[in-house]
Amino acid sequence: MSAMERLTRLMPPHEGAGDEIDWDAVTSGWGTRFPFSYCEFIRVYGEGTIERYLGVLAPDLKMEVDVVQGMSFETLNVRGLWLETRQGERPAEIHGDSLIAWGADSSGDILCWETSRTDPDRWPIVIFRRQGVPRWVVYPDGVADFFLKTFQCEYDENPLSGMDLWGVSAPRFLHWRTEERSWEQGIDPWTGKPNPNAGMFGE
């Protein structure tokens, strides 16, 4: 059973999840194809959030420098954080100008690939941790394996700043469209209960 098959058993995608992406356009725009595990995650789950904590980003069609959210924004952000990190605190095998971000969490962590290898399926996952030491950690895993190992506590330590995904036995994913629609209806999508703040700000 593949890592993605095991992930979908542990974290079943809801109805309406998944995004259709023009991967040829993405490859052309970024100058590289992306890892198969990530492409499969986007196909099955799409852009959205796990456990109200970690957001997985769908790809921009190309790298943009004047955006305020999304893959381009977080990529520029993490490359800037790399430059701000003292040289002795950076993993020696990582090239900061080759980082591409694919996720971010509410603790301020950014999840990336180090893309200097020719084969995207061999790109390691690099995480900038807003809290904890070391700030930069590297994992030689695909996206599906990374989530499985995090949920099942198979790393030596929690790879993220917060404990929200560490050891979660029944993780939940919500596509951004589903989450947004629920909020618009006055329902907290994570609890299923009425949003006590609904209507307070003129929605």
Side-chain angles (χ1 to χ4, degrees):
M1 186 182 300
S2 70
M4 181 57 68
E5 289 171 332
R6 289 185 285 124
L7 183 62
T8 57
R9 287 193 174 191
L10 184 65
M11 185 174 69
H14 60 73
E15 183 178 354
D19 287 323
E20 293 185 8
I21 301 294
D22 185 342
W23 292 108
D24 289 339
V26 170
T27 298
S28 177
W30 285 82
T32 181
R33 67 179 181 88
F34 284 5
F36 177 77
S37 180
Y38 167 76
C39 296
E40 281 293 281
F41 186 97
I42 295 299
R43 180 184 67 82
V44 173
Y45 293 97
E47 184 171 57
T49 305
I50 300 173
E51 285 300 308
R52 206 174 194 160
Y53 177 70
L54 189 149
V56 178
L57 305 170
D60 302 335
L61 290 182
K62 63 180 180 178
M63 182 70 169
E64 300 279 3
V65 298
D66 57 350
V67 294
V68 296
Q69 61 183 357
M71 180 174 282
S72 292
F73 174 81
E74 293 297 353
T75 295
L76 293 170
N77 189 15
V78 79
R79 290 180 184 182
L81 290 167
W82 178 266
L83 292 174
E84 293 173 7
T85 305
R86 289 182 293 186
Q87 191 165 357
E89 297 176 358
R90 304 171 181 173
E93 70 273 27
I94 301 303
H95 303 279
D97 59 358
S98 72
L99 295 173
I100 295 178
W102 59 268
D105 65 37
S106 58
S107 297
D109 305 331
I110 304 176
L111 293 78
C112 320
W113 300 290
E114 203 278 350
T115 66
S116 61
R117 296 184 183 184
T118 303
D119 182 359
D121 294 321
R122 297 184 61 205
W123 291 349
I125 289 175
V126 179
I127 301 175
F128 169 77
R129 300 194 296 186
R130 188 70 61 174
Q131 304 168 35
V133 178
R135 280 292 180 88
W136 298 89
V137 289
V138 183
Y139 298 94
D141 295 308
V143 170
D145 273 316
F146 172 79
F147 285 135
L148 284 169
K149 290 181 179 181
T150 300
F151 296 146
Q152 298 171 350
C153 301
E154 293 181 12
Y155 291 120
D156 291 339
E157 64 176 1
N158 177 18
L160 303 172
S161 294
M163 299 297 291
D164 304 66
L165 305 188
W166 188 244
V168 176
S169 59
R172 300 166 298 165
F173 171 90
L174 282 180
H175 193 281
W176 71 267
R177 288 188 299 263
T178 299
E179 185 172 6
E180 184 176 83
R181 187 161 51 246
S182 184
W183 286 119
E184 289 174 350
Q185 295 169 351
I187 302 296
D188 184 327
W190 296 98
T191 66
K193 297 179 180 179
N195 174 19
N197 298 319
M200 290 182 61
F201 305 102
E203 295 94 334

